[in-house]
Amino acid sequence: MRDHGGHAGVADACRPITDILTRVGDKWSVMVVMLLGNGTKRFNEMRRLIGGISQRMLTLTLRGLERDGLVTRTVFPTVPPRVDYALTDLGRSLLIPISALGAWAYGHRDAIDAARLAFDARADAGAAPDSQAS
Amino acid sequence: MRDHGGHAGVADACRPITDILTRVGDKWSVMVVMLLGNGTKRFNEMRRLIGGISQRMLTLTLRGLERDGLVTRTVFPTVPPRVDYALTDLGRSLLIPISALGAWAYGHRDAIDAARLAFDARADAGAAPDSQAS
DNA sequence: CAGTATCCGGTCGGATACTG
DNA sequence: CAGTATCCGACCGGATACTG
């Protein structure tokens, strides 16, 4: 807050929010949170349920969520080892707005898809006014 | 839908949603949509208001939003040229869930920050049990 | 004013191999 | 089972220069 003269714009004020939105927006976080919304899960269980996520990314995603206080990680010192992941209260509270966002996305997927097709068609028409497709 | 035998998991079914969430999650889209929620804006006007966004990224962000049918782009063939950006009905409808998400992020930023500090402290303690800070 | 084009470093994220 | 470590290609995003 020391540059009254400058005008950094809203980007500055929004940094904390943008920061958190980045978490929400990354490829797997939302899916993991939604999955844990159904209850506690183990590592490879989630891996199977999600399908298509690499081991590495599941680890990193869970670490990020744990760091943000959204997920708890519980290790059972058995052999073979067992680790349970669950949402914290904070994580559960996040479930509400992201479900709303997910519902919006699902509800408008057709409109968005149509808009994309139309846009791409316009772009193609502009780039290649000739009726030949490449 | 061709592998009934396999088990791709939810990742497959969620692809359209993930896809849209990726838009929402990228660095500038949400900020731009929120800004346009206040009314029509011109290109450099937004650039100034946001502060910290490069010309390139503002263009790409707006193109993406336009492609998804969330914003309209209106060119006035004057000199110097003038281009107005505004939300579509679809864009305005998105404003609701992302405002909710933004409110959540803002409301819980302290809890998240605290969680991060605690996590990092634990990580440091684990990595360097010695009382020396690097 | 409102872009486009190009370069380039940093990060994301998958594949693979190894470990307790 | 639940990770960690490493490699590596793809893409994100800023800086800069140029254009109608």
Side-chain angles (χ1 to χ4, degrees):
Chain A
M1 294 304 178
R2 39 212 251 277
D3 58 344
H4 295 234
H7 44 325
V10 293
D12 221 36
C14 293
R15 210 197 49 226
I17 293 114
T18 297
D19 186 28
I20 294 167
L21 258 44
T22 298
R23 274 245 146 290
V24 170
D26 76 38
K27 206 174 178 184
W28 303 108
S29 290
V30 168
M31 217 179 303
V32 166
V33 170
M34 299 283 293
L35 206 64
L36 289 178
N38 292 355
T40 300
K41 300 270 179 298
R42 296 177 57 177
F43 188 87
N44 278 341
E45 186 181 3
M46 303 184 66
R47 193 150 145 59
R48 275 190 305 273
L49 284 170
I50 292 177
I53 189 172
S54 65
Q55 193 171 32
R56 174 185 142 88
M57 285 321 295
L58 183 53
T59 301
L60 289 179
T61 300
L62 286 168
R63 282 286 181 287
L65 293 171
E66 189 194 356
R67 186 172 110 99
D68 287 357
L70 299 169
V71 164
T72 57
R73 176 173 179 272
T74 312
V75 182
F76 299 89
T78 58
V79 31
R82 167 198 180 128
V83 181
D84 280 2
Y85 290 93
L87 291 182
T88 61
D89 286 346
L90 191 61
R92 264 185 296 277
S93 77
L94 174 60
L95 219 46
I96 296 164
I98 69 168
S99 294
L101 190 60
W104 183 93
Y106 188 77
H108 296 87
R109 68 194 189 288
D110 289 350
I112 293 174
D113 229 38
R116 287 180 180 173
L117 284 171
F119 183 91
D120 293 348
R122 272 198 307 277
D124 281 6
D130 198 3
S131 59
Q132 291 291 349
S134 77
Chain B
M1 290 302 184
R2 35 211 253 278
D3 57 345
H4 295 235
H7 45 325
V10 293
D12 220 38
C14 292
R15 211 197 49 227
I17 292 115
T18 297
D19 186 29
I20 294 166
L21 258 43
T22 298
R23 276 247 143 286
V24 171
D26 77 37
K27 205 174 177 184
W28 304 107
S29 290
V30 168
M31 217 179 304
V32 166
V33 170
M34 299 283 293
L35 205 65
L36 289 177
N38 292 354
T40 299
K41 300 269 178 298
R42 296 177 57 179
F43 188 86
N44 278 341
E45 186 181 2
M46 302 184 67
R47 192 149 145 60
R48 276 189 304 276
L49 284 170
I50 293 177
I53 189 171
S54 65
Q55 194 172 31
R56 174 186 141 87
M57 285 322 295
L58 183 53
T59 301
L60 289 179
T61 300
L62 287 167
R63 282 287 182 285
L65 294 171
E66 189 195 356
R67 186 171 109 99
D68 287 356
L70 299 170
V71 312
T72 57
R73 176 173 180 270
T74 312
V75 182
F76 299 89
T78 59
V79 31
R82 167 198 180 128
V83 181
D84 281 2
Y85 290 93
L87 291 182
T88 60
D89 286 346
L90 191 60
R92 263 185 297 278
S93 77
L94 174 59
L95 218 46
I96 296 165
I98 70 169
S99 294
L101 190 60
W104 182 92
Y106 188 77
H108 296 88
R109 66 194 189 288
D110 290 349
I112 292 174
D113 230 38
R116 286 179 181 175
L117 285 171
F119 183 92
D120 293 349
R122 272 198 307 275
D124 280 6
D130 199 4
S131 59
Q132 291 291 349
S134 76

